[in-house]
Amino acid sequence: MVNFLLLALAFGLARAERKWKTVAIAASNSDKVEISGPLRIYCREITCEEECKILKVTFYVKENGQCSLTTVTGYLQEDGKTYLTLFEGENRYVIVKQTPENIVFYSENVDRASRRTKLIYVVGHKPLTSEQRERLVSYAVEKNIPPENIRDLLETDTCPQ
């Protein structure tokens, strides 16, 4: 079953040759995703390699109004669904849902000070519909992330395409 899901993910990402954008972020520690926050990322590309055992995510971070391009590499763990990468600490993330319009990631970051932050990233191309927003709020509550910590990013994404 896990191999089927990875194959479906690989096929879906391979077919999605277009660029991605971060549509929304939710975080248990909102300071991490405020403007210039270290985990406020502006996604551009997601690449699946080696049958999705390696997932590369290219994104911008913005500090002092300057956009810096970064690529992180996530490695599939033994459980067959969790990826591990290092960026602003240790990040473990899973792909929760993938449609032609959006990919939803759930992530847990532990920074250098051992502060744990739960995050939800929604990448896509358009603002969330009211129905999608309601599902994001429900999922955030389920993960103990306050709904008021959800941030829409399309309006603040001024980094290069």
Side-chain angles (χ1 to χ4, degrees), residues 9 11 13 19 46 51 84 103 118 159:
L9 174 64
F11 180 71
L13 288 175
K19 301 289 183 179
I46 301 169
E51 298 175 342
L84 175 66
I103 302 173
K118 297 177 182 181
C159 294

Side-chain angles (χ1 to χ4, degrees), residues 98-130:
Q98 180 183 353
T99 70
E101 296 85 30
N102 293 308
I103 302 173
V104 179
F105 294 89
Y106 173 73
S107 178
E108 290 192 9
N109 168 272
V110 179
D111 67 16
R112 292 174 186 94
S114 298
R115 185 175 180 208
R116 182 175 304 274
T117 303
K118 297 177 182 181
L119 300 127
I120 301 168
Y121 290 96
V122 180
V123 297
H125 303 92
K126 300 180 205 172
L128 296 175
T129 65
S130 57

Side-chain angles (χ1 to χ4, degrees), residues 40-79:
R40 185 181 187 108
I41 66 168
Y42 297 98
C43 187
R44 289 297 182 266
E45 188 173 45
I46 301 169
T47 307
C48 194
E49 297 179 358
E50 296 183 25
E51 298 175 342
C52 277
K53 292 179 183 166
I54 296 174
L55 197 63
K56 291 186 178 179
V57 181
T58 300
F59 56 89
Y60 284 97
V61 290
K62 195 187 298 187
E63 189 172 346
N64 298 323
Q66 299 294 317
C67 297
S68 297
L69 189 62
T70 302
T71 298
V72 297
T73 303
Y75 297 93
L76 189 63
Q77 301 301 290
E78 288 183 17
D79 69 0

Side-chain angles (χ1 to χ4, degrees), residues 25-30 118 136-137 140-151:
I25 295 177
S28 56
N29 297 311
S30 64
K118 297 177 182 181
L136 176 57
V137 167
V141 169
E142 178 184 318
K143 292 297 186 181
N144 295 315
I145 298 173
E148 61 268 18
N149 290 1
I150 297 173
R151 303 289 181 264

